[in-house]
Amino acid sequence: MIHITIPKPDVTITKQDAPELSHIYGFTDFHLIPRDRGGIFMFYSSKGELLFVGKARKLRPRIKKHFEDSVSPIKEHRNEVASIEVCIIEDAVHREIYETYIINEFKAKYNVDKVFFR
């Protein structure tokens, strides 16, 4: 049996109720997410339900793209995202392993690729 320890989030940002600053779907703290670092990210609902898990070589642009892109798997569910957790993981193989493991272990609601539990 393989035992995988999920890393603790390096950055967590939450949706603001009435943001005064420029925002994307209520999130104003994208500047806290590293622009040129690789890692995994997890989108959660206000009830703590895991909605989506992804990985990226450059985290901030990839996460923002999910809120702007017309082909994102969460495009119909963007308003459900209440918090985003980010873990810095530079190794591409480790990112792939963590992403697949988290999707299946915690049954991410809107991930359609890499799913073994359905």
Side-chain angles (χ1 to χ4, degrees):
M1 169 126 221
I2 296 174
H3 179 71
I4 298 174
T5 303
I6 299 168
K8 300 281 184 230
D10 294 296
V11 177
T12 300
I13 63 173
T14 56
K15 181 184 270 187
Q16 306 298 312
D17 288 331
E20 295 176 14
L21 302 172
S22 176
H23 67 90
I24 298 173
Y25 284 87
F27 291 96
T28 58
D29 294 329
F30 278 109
H31 66 279
L32 299 175
I33 300 170
R35 182 182 310 245
D36 293 327
R37 305 273 314 265
I40 58 171
F41 54 90
M42 294 157 280
F43 296 157
Y44 289 92
S45 71
S46 59
K47 297 175 183 170
E49 177 184 23
L50 181 59
L51 301 174
F52 186 80
V53 180
K55 66 181 181 312
R57 285 183 295 126
K58 295 183 178 188
L59 283 163
R60 189 186 318 166
R62 183 69 188 109
I63 293 169
K64 285 177 104 173
K65 203 166 183 72
H66 276 290
F67 291 95
E68 299 165 345
D69 204 356
S70 63
V71 296
S72 171
I74 66 156
K75 69 181 175 190
E76 303 295 325
H77 311 285
R78 291 174 177 144
N79 288 325
E80 290 180 50
V81 180
S83 67
I84 302 169
E85 289 185 352
V86 175
C87 302
I88 308 299
I89 301 164
E90 293 295 343
D91 187 285
V93 172
H94 292 174
R95 287 194 299 262
E96 186 73 37
I97 291 168
Y98 282 128
E99 179 192 35
T100 303
Y101 179 77
I102 293 168
I103 287 169
N104 288 284
E105 185 69 18
F106 298 101
K107 298 179 176 34
K109 189 173 181 178
Y110 298 123
N111 282 92
V112 292
D113 295 334
K114 303 179 185 177
V115 174
F116 302 120
F117 62 85
R118 295 197 177 147

